[in-house]
Structure formats: structure tokens, C-alpha cells
């Protein structure tokens, strides 16, 4: 039982219907790692059997789909696209991955996570039919495939006007690629990620992503490196796909407003989203009165969609609600799920500019003061002066999957921050709380003293080596001086610490804030969307 409560013998933990569904879903997670070469393709054709079992082969062919692949930015592109079309008055269905806190985040209807009641109804409808009809030749689908099939069922039953699909991994063999006739396809920025599956060169990766191209269906991409672009163009030519490069969005088209998603790189994604929406509207015949041909301006609905879009865990700033009273400390989390070398650099630029510009949500006290400020401007000025007096410390909270190379990720982060004059006082390395083999409601687990921290210690060693100039001997001596705190099970050096759990790392941060109330702690959380979700879950509890 979670939470460590002692229960009387006659008491049984009542499993909620939602937890029951999550348990069933967890049973579909294979124990294979994604780096297992044997899962390449993994009988892609079987997906069409599942569609027949669920009687979705007809409905899926009628869906007006926008399909988006890419290494980075595909989730943001899909979010911006959905927001634009929703603001144009359409009933939208959005399927994205991964989820940060709750699996229902993956299925959004009109911009909102599907409600629990509907999720359960559609979940068991799909589950029961697949259980009844699966056999040795056609076993139950694996975890992500089931979720994709569930998305198709939800969007079909809810009769949405447009389906926006984010590819899970790659493109060619992704479960979303059962869509045979999308209205338009998009490829966001390409880079080096999931190389254990998709290939070791940018060309190979681009080939996998271009697997979503369909004969004669228009496609858009953003400016790419030559190696990737030449592959995209070749694949497009083979399939008679009209492929165009969508220019980054011109900020002047927003009439003085800001994009809803922060970071310079989002203008690339916004440009792609605008091109996808324009084409979708034209091909479906909905473009009348939208003035879509005007390059020098955007329809009002487009501007509203672009400026009101929101996406958890991407360039998101969250002040710690633990500190919300007067004269308490200041702890702000800057969350970005970057996990490739290129996105790490963009994340560093965003973080550096955000702290330089003081882009930070007001804490509740200041919001109250603003609301009541008609007669209390002096109090507001006093608060602002206190803010200005605060020194700031930048802390890194990091983890990444072991299939990724920290020697590629961490230098890009350190160098890009240093270029903007930002240097981390300390890096904290923690294991993820989310378990890869279980989907749950994620009550915060108790610290496991037996947790394997070998990967986190590897990350720390890489960090120390980078901070101290790559001198391995120097790094070894730091480790000798580094102290292991038996009570908290952490390995601590002057510029880094390893914690056995995220809650302990957050407790350490809060204790540090309590002891340094004149300091603002600005914590960049990155390297893994799972880690970002874990932090949101802990902080928002």
C-alpha cells in the first residue's frame, strides 16, 4: 500500500476503477528495452488486424488527420496546431506522448484532457474486444500501440473534426502510421536521438521520420541540416509528395502579443503549425473568409491560437508553492524536457534568457498585492525592492535515460549557459520516480535504500570532469573528498550531489532556501520528460 498507512485486517484497499484500468494498461508494457534491435518494425502489419478487431478500419479512413514526426518540437507543433484549429471553431482531437503526470494527458478533446469517465468507457471497450479476439498469432498489442488504438477509438466515437497525431518514435513503424491518407504531414526539427533504434546518422534518422509521407499528400518541414533535408526531399520525390519548407513565424504577425510557448525555437514550430493549419483548412474546404493567402498577416483565430497555447514541461516556470508567505525564501523551478544535444542547447538559451529577463510567475503574495494595489503602491514597491536585493543561485536538477550519452548532453548545456553568463552553483542528480514498467496515479514513493544509483553516479562523474576541465585525476580526488551521507544516502561534492530520490533532493533545496532567505534559487530541471513530470507531481502535491 502506498503512503505507509497501517491497515486493520478487515480493511481492504479499494482499487478504484481508474487504478484498475491503469493496472491493466501496465500489463502491456514489455520488459524489453527500446534499444533491443529485435523490436524494429515489430510486425507493423499486425496493427491493421487490431483496427479490424476494433472495427476502426472504416472510421480511421474518414478522419481528417494532421500527422507530425520529428526529433524535437513535434509535441509543441501539435499543441500549437490544435490550439489554432480549436480557435477557428473546430472540434479537435490531439494525441501526444509521453504524459507527465496522468495518462489521460495523451488524449485531448478541444484542448482538455479526456475526463476519467470517458477514458474508462473507451478503455474497457477496446480492452475487452482485443482480449476476446487476440490469440497466439495476434497477441494483445504492446503499451504504446494500445494507446494509439485507444486514441483512434476516442476520436472516432467523439466525432472530432480534426485529429492531430504526434508520432511516438521514429515514423515508419510507429503505431500512428496506420493512417493511410492524412490531410497533411509535418516534420519538425531533426537531430540525434533514439539512435539505438533509428540509426546513427542524420540521414538514417530522417529516413525513418519520412516514413510518414504518403503518396501525393502535401508535407511541410522546417529548415534542416543538408544531410537531413536531402533525404526528406528524396523520399518526397519518390512518393510524389509536394514538400515545402515552412519559414519560422515572424513575431510581427502576432500584433505585439507573445507566443503561448516560450523559447526562441518555438517560432520554428509555430511557423510549421501555421503551414499545417493553412493547408488543412484549404484541403478540407474550410478556408472561406479566413484570408489565408495573405502572407503579411494572420487571421485573428490563428493569432489567438498561437498566443494562448500551453504545454506542460516545455519551457515552463513554476514557483514552489511551499514558499508563498511574506519573508520566506524563494525557489523557482524552470522545467524543460530537453533530452537531445540540440534541444539541450535550446533549453540552456531559454533558461539563461528567462532568468536574465526575470520572466517568473509572481508568487501568490505578490499577486494578492497586485489585486489590492490601488491604494498600496508603496507596499508593491517595497516587495519589488526586496526582489532586487535578492542574489540568485542557479542549480541544475538532472537525469537522462541510460541510452543517452551525457558526454553529448551536458557539455552543450554548460557551454550554452556559460555563453549567456550563467554558471550552475551545483548540479543534483536523481533517479526518476516514474517506473517504466508501470502506469499509475503516482503517489510519491518512499525512498528505497537499495535503489541503484550507478547511472546517477556516472552522470555526476561526467559533470565533475566537465566542471574541472576534464582532468580525470582531479575528478578522482574530488570523489575522495566527496562525502557520503549515510543518513540521506547521497554522494556530495562541492559542485554536485547524487540523491537516491527526487523528494530528498527537493527537501534539500527547500532546506537550503530556508537557510538562505536572501537568495533566489533558480532550478533548471531537464534531461528527461519523466523527471519533469515527477517534479511537477512533487511540487504540486
Amino acid at each position: 500500500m502506498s503512503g505507509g498507512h497501517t491497515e486493520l485486517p478487515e480493511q481492504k484497499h479499494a482499487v478504484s476503477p481508474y487504478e484498475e484500468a491503469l493496472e491493466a494498461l501496465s500489463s502491456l508494457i514489455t520488459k524489453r528495452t527500446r534499444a533491443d534491435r529485435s523490436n524494429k518494425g515489430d510486425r507493423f502489419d499486425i496493427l491493421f488486424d487490431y483496427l479490424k478487431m476494433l472495427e476502426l478500419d472504416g472510421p480511421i479512413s474518414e478522419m481528417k488527420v494532421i500527422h507530425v514526426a520529428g526529433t524535437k518540437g513535434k509535441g509543441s507543433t501539435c499543441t500549437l496546431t490544435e490550439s489554432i484549429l480549436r480557435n477557428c471553431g473546430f472540434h479537435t482531437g490531439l494525441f501526444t506522448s509521453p504524459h507527465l503526470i496522468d495518462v489521460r494527458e495523451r488524449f485531448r478533446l478541444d484542448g482538455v484532457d479526456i475526463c476519467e469517465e470517458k477514458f474508462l468507457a473507451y478503455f474497457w471497450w477496446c480492452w475487452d474486444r482485443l482480449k476476446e479476439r487476440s490469440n497466439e498469432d495476434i497477441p494483445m498489442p504492446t503499451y504504446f500501440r494500445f494507446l494509439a488504438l485507444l486514441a483512434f477509438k476516442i476520436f472516432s466515437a467523439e466525432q472530432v473534426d480534426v485529429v492531430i497525431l504526434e508520432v511516438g518514435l521514429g515514423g515508419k513503424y510507429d503505431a500512428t502510421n496506420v493512417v493511410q491518407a492524412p490531410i497533411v504531414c509535418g516534420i519538425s526539427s531533426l537531430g540525434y536521438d533514439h539512435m539505438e533504434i533509428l540509426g546513427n546518422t542524420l540521414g538514417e534518422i530522417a529516413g525513418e521520420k519520412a516514413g510518414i509521407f504518403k503518396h501525393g499528400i502535401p508535407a511541410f518541414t522546417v529548415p534542416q541540416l543538408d544531410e537531413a533535408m536531402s533525404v526528406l526531399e528524396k523520399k518526397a520525390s519518390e512518393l510524389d509528395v509536394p514538400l515545402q519548407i515552412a519559414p519560422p513565424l515572424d513575431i510581427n504577425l502576432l500584433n505585439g502579443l507573445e507566443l503561448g510557448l516560450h523559447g526562441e525555437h518555438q517560432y520554428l514550430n509555430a511557423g510549421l503549425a501555421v503551414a499545417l493549419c493553412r493547408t488543412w483548412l484549404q484541403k478540407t474546404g474550410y478556408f472561406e473568409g479566413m484570408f489565408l493567402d495573405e502572407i503579411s498577416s494572420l487571421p485573428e483565430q490563428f493569432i489567438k491560437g498561437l498566443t494562448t497555447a500551453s504545454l506542460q514541461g516545455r519551457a515552463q516556470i513554476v514557483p514552489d508553492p511551499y514558499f508563498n508567505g511574506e519573508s520566506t525564501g524563494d525557489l523557482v523551478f524552470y522545467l524543460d524536457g530537453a533530452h537531445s544535444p540540440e534541444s539541450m542547447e535550446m533549453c540552456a538559451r531559454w533558461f539563461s534568457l528567462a532568468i536574465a529577463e526575470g520572466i517568473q510567475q509572481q508568487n501568490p503574495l505578490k499577486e494578492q498585492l497586485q489585486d489590492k494595489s490601488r491604494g498600496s503602491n508603496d507596499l508593491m514597491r517595497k516587495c519589488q525592492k526586496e526582489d532586487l536585493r535578492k542574489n540568485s543561485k542557479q542549480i541544475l536538477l538532472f537525469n537522462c535515460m541510460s541510452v543517452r550519452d551525457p558526454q553529448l548532453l551536458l557539455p552543450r548545456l554548460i557551454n550554452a549557459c556559460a555563453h549567456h553568463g550563467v554558471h550552475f552553483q551545483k548540479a543534483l542528480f536523481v533517479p526518476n520516480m516514474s517506473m517504466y514498467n508501470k502506469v499509475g496515479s503516482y503517489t510519491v514513493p518512499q525512498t528505497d535504500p537499495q535503489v541503484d544509483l550507478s547511472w546517477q553516479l556516472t552522470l555526476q562523474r561526467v559533470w565533475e570532469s566537465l566542471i574541472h576541465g576534464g582532468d580525470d585525476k582531479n575528478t578522482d580526488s574530488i570523489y575522495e573528498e566527496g562525502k557520503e551521507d549515510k543518513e540521506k544516502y547521497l554522494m556530495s561534492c562541492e559542485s554536485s550531489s547524487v540523491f537516491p530520490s527526487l523528494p530528498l533532493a527537493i527537501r534539500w533545496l527547500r532546506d537550503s532556501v530556508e537557510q538562505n532567505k536572501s537568495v533566489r534559487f533558480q532550478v533548471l530541471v531537464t534531461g528527461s520528460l519523466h523527471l519533469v513530470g515527477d517534479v511537477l507531481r512533487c511540487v504540486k502535491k
Side-chain angles (χ1 to χ4, degrees), residues 328-349:
T328 58
D330 200 340
L331 176 59
V332 183
F333 293 96
Y334 295 75
L335 302 143
D336 192 86
H339 50 264
S340 71
E342 298 86 358
S343 58
M344 199 58 64
E345 200 166 303
M346 289 173 179
C347 166
R349 283 214 318 259

Side-chain angles (χ1 to χ4, degrees), residues 361-415:
Q361 295 171 17
Q362 302 280 353
N363 71 34
L365 168 71
K366 287 179 213 150
E367 284 175 2
Q368 288 166 23
L369 289 172
Q370 281 177 321
D371 290 341
K372 299 172 184 173
S373 63
R374 287 176 191 138
S376 56
N377 286 333
D378 291 342
L379 194 52
M380 278 298 297
R381 280 192 213 99
K382 185 181 168 194
C383 263
Q384 286 163 353
K385 277 181 186 171
E386 281 174 9
D387 271 359
L388 289 171
R389 281 202 298 272
K390 283 196 171 179
N391 296 316
S392 63
K393 274 190 178 180
Q394 287 77 47
I395 309 282
L396 176 66
L397 182 56
F398 188 90
N399 192 31
C400 65
M401 291 173 67
S402 56
V403 293
R404 301 207 162 90
D405 185 353
Q407 298 277 11
L408 293 175
L409 300 181
L410 290 173
R412 296 284 277 267
L413 179 70
I414 291 170
N415 294 338

Side-chain angles (χ1 to χ4, degrees), residues 18-29 99 101-104 106-107 119 123 143-144 147 434-443 537:
Y18 189 56
E19 286 173 322
E20 196 182 338
L22 297 183
E23 282 292 327
L25 187 54
S26 297
S27 72
L28 301 179
I29 299 175
H99 61 274
I101 296 173
D102 191 308
V103 73
R104 291 181 296 113
R106 294 171 182 254
F107 316 92
F119 175 85
F123 178 91
Y143 172 68
F144 182 77
L147 292 175
S434 320
M435 291 179 285
Y436 294 113
N437 63 346
K438 185 169 171 57
V439 188
S441 48
Y442 298 116
T443 50
R537 197 174 303 117

Side-chain angles (χ1 to χ4, degrees), residues 236-501:
S237 173
E238 288 168 3
L239 290 168
D240 197 23
V241 166
L243 175 66
Q244 296 180 59
I245 297 172
L249 182 74
D250 180 350
I251 190 170
N252 296 313
L253 295 178
L254 296 178
N255 297 343
L257 299 172
E258 287 189 354
L259 265 183
L261 307 185
H262 299 294
E264 293 169 23
H265 57 287
Q266 294 295 1
Y267 287 91
L268 269 181
N269 301 326
L272 180 56
V274 166
L276 293 171
C277 290
R278 274 195 164 122
T279 301
W280 188 88
L281 286 163
Q282 286 163 347
K283 286 199 70 187
T284 52
Y286 289 118
F287 64 95
E288 283 181 32
M290 298 285 281
F291 308 110
L292 291 178
D293 296 329
E294 291 188 24
I295 303 300
S296 59
S297 66
L298 282 177
E300 265 178 55
Q301 302 95 318
F302 276 50
I303 294 171
K304 188 172 182 194
L306 291 165
T307 55
T308 59
S310 65
L311 184 59
Q312 279 200 121
R314 276 78 160 186
Q316 183 181 6
I317 302 171
V318 179
D320 188 355
Y322 184 81
F323 299 105
N324 61 5
E326 198 170 359
S327 77
T328 58
D330 200 340
L331 176 59
V332 183
F333 293 96
Y334 295 75
L335 302 143
D336 192 86
H339 50 264
S340 71
E342 298 86 358
S343 58
M344 199 58 64
E345 200 166 303
M346 289 173 179
C347 166
R349 283 214 318 259
W350 162 72
F351 175 63
S352 303
L353 293 171
I355 60 176
E357 294 168 11
I359 300 170
Q360 164 181 327
Q361 295 171 17
Q362 302 280 353
N363 71 34
L365 168 71
K366 287 179 213 150
E367 284 175 2
Q368 288 166 23
L369 289 172
Q370 281 177 321
D371 290 341
K372 299 172 184 173
S373 63
R374 287 176 191 138
S376 56
N377 286 333
D378 291 342
L379 194 52
M380 278 298 297
R381 280 192 213 99
K382 185 181 168 194
C383 263
Q384 286 163 353
K385 277 181 186 171
E386 281 174 9
D387 271 359
L388 289 171
R389 281 202 298 272
K390 283 196 171 179
N391 296 316
S392 63
K393 274 190 178 180
Q394 287 77 47
I395 309 282
L396 176 66
L397 182 56
F398 188 90
N399 192 31
C400 65
M401 291 173 67
S402 56
V403 293
R404 301 207 162 90
D405 185 353
Q407 298 277 11
L408 293 175
L409 300 181
L410 290 173
R412 296 284 277 267
L413 179 70
I414 291 170
N415 294 338
C417 282
H419 179 72
H420 289 86
V422 173
H423 303 276
F424 293 101
Q425 271 74 22
K426 194 148 186 134
L428 314 180
F429 299 100
V430 295
N432 288 348
M433 283 161 39
S434 320
M435 291 179 285
Y436 294 113
N437 63 346
K438 185 169 171 57
V439 188
S441 48
Y442 298 116
T443 50
V444 176
Q446 301 302 308
T447 300
D448 177 5
Q450 303 304 314
V451 66
D452 179 7
L453 295 173
S454 55
W455 177 243
Q456 283 67 40
L457 290 166
T458 298
L459 295 174
Q460 182 186 35
R461 190 174 289 274
V462 171
W463 178 264
E464 291 290 341
S465 175
L466 291 166
I467 293 297
H468 297 280
D471 184 346
D472 285 338
K473 289 179 184 171
N474 193 11
T475 306
D476 287 337
S477 69
I478 289 163
Y479 266 79
E480 284 168 24
E481 293 165 20
K483 64 180 186 298
E484 189 174 351
D485 185 332
K486 296 291 183 188
E487 188 183 334
K488 290 187 178 176
Y489 304 98
L490 63 90
M491 175 61 80
S492 189
C493 304
E494 186 185 350
S495 51
S496 64
S497 292
V498 170
F499 289 86
S501 77

Side-chain angles (χ1 to χ4, degrees), residues 8 34 36 38 44 103 115 122 143 166 168 177 188-189 215 332 404 433 458-459 465 483 488:
L8 298 171
R34 290 195 293 186
D36 181 348
S38 70
F44 178 75
V103 73
C115 69
Y122 294 129
Y143 172 68
E166 178 191 358
N177 207 30
S188 65
S189 297
H215 192 272
V332 183
R404 301 207 162 90
M433 283 161 39
T458 298
L459 295 174
S465 175
K483 64 180 186 298
K488 290 187 178 176

Side-chain angles (χ1 to χ4, degrees), residues 39 105 113 131 137 162 187 194 246 273 303 332 357 364 392 415-416 451 497 513 521:
N39 72 358
E105 294 165 29
D113 300 353
K131 268 289 185 195
D137 293 330
V162 56
I187 306 280
H194 300 299
I303 294 171
V332 183
E357 294 168 11
S392 63
N415 294 338
V451 66
S497 292
V513 171
F521 284 78

